[in-house]
Amino acid sequence: MLGRIHSVESCGTVDGPGLRFIVFLQGCVLRCAYCHNPDTWKLNGGIEKSVEELLEEAKGYLPYMKFSNGGVTLSGGEPLLQPDFVLEFFRKCKEAGIHTTLDTSGSVKPGNLEEILEVTDLVLLDIKHIKEEKHKQITGMSNNNTLNFAKLLNDKGIPVWIRHVLVPGLSNDKQDLTDLGAFLATLSNVEKVEILPYHKMGEYKWEQLGLTNTLIGVKPPKQEEVDEAYRLLTKKQETCQECGL
């Protein structure tokens, strides 16, 4: 089984618990205005690697994974655009006793999704926006698949870390954040909420690829704005926990 691979990070510390072997898969259906890796968009980009090849690379870091309660993370791009590869790689990882994390926007629903989730220990779910029209404005697609995926993960009891990229003018409206927090409060499987502040480190890629960057004049949010967004996304969860719901 071959996959199209953009890049590999050997000891990542932010995409799941512990030290992680992170594989960034090629291809994405979204066209996020703030994407810092637009070079992952094309499905035919990157290089081909086999499941066995990547697994052997990952096993080289097993001592670090075991020591830190880490594992492997499949990210992107959108990993679910290569569902057969994801399923086979995660199956092999589970056979090797390696913790598996899927970093996804949930924007695509492959036919073997149920099988993939059977070998997935944790999902990092990036919810771009709670309002469908604003989600389309940011990504070019509806958020229906993403929200339905969040509900499916909840029904299955699969642990989730929610991620939300905070972009001034696009995803920082207080009422929208409050509404997203209300949605998250309906889920019982959310272990963590992360606010990812917009940054400009990927701007040079837009220029190199000849893409039109509509966020040239947008500055990263201040720390107090990030803190406020986190408060709004978690406020109702904390209230539910306090009242035992």
Side-chain angles (χ1 to χ4, degrees), residues 72-123:
V72 301
T73 297
L74 289 184
S75 183
E78 172 50 65
L80 291 178
L81 278 180
Q82 301 186 58
D84 293 337
F85 183 85
V86 171
L87 177 59
E88 185 67 11
F89 184 66
F90 273 6
R91 275 181 175 165
K92 296 290 185 184
C93 286
K94 296 305 294 178
E95 289 172 5
I98 300 175
H99 181 277
T100 57
T101 292
L102 181 67
D103 181 10
T104 176
S105 69
S107 52
V108 295
K109 186 180 180 182
N112 63 353
L113 182 59
E114 297 276 343
E115 294 176 274
I116 290 173
L117 294 180
E118 288 177 3
V119 288
T120 301
D121 293 312
L122 173 69
V123 173

Side-chain angles (χ1 to χ4, degrees), residues 116-224:
I116 290 173
L117 294 180
E118 288 177 3
V119 288
T120 301
D121 293 312
L122 173 69
V123 173
L124 310 182
L125 182 59
D126 187 355
I127 301 181
K128 315 288 185 182
H129 208 288
I130 190 63
K131 300 283 177 58
E132 183 176 11
E133 285 307 312
K134 291 185 177 180
H135 191 279
K136 286 181 180 178
Q137 178 188 346
I138 292 171
T139 71
M141 287 186 65
S142 165
N143 61 2
N144 286 338
N145 280 349
T146 300
L147 300 183
N148 287 334
F149 187 53
K151 295 172 186 174
L152 175 66
L153 295 172
N154 183 63
D155 292 342
K156 289 184 170 297
I158 296 175
V160 171
W161 290 9
I162 296 294
R163 294 178 147 183
H164 180 73
V165 180
L166 192 70
V167 187
L170 286 184
S171 60
N172 66 334
D173 180 83
K174 289 186 177 181
Q175 185 57 57
D176 293 340
L177 293 169
T178 299
D179 292 346
L180 177 54
F183 174 75
L184 299 182
T186 67
L187 309 175
S188 59
N189 59 333
V190 177
E191 291 189 343
K192 191 174 184 179
V193 174
E194 295 181 315
I195 303 296
L196 309 181
Y198 164 69
H199 61 73
K200 303 174 83 67
M201 289 186 285
E203 278 194 348
Y204 75 96
K205 294 183 180 181
W206 286 72
E207 186 175 348
Q208 287 178 349
L209 294 170
L211 299 170
T212 301
N213 185 348
T214 59
L215 302 183
I216 286 293
V218 176
K219 296 180 179 179
K222 297 177 181 177
Q223 185 58 49
E224 52 264 36

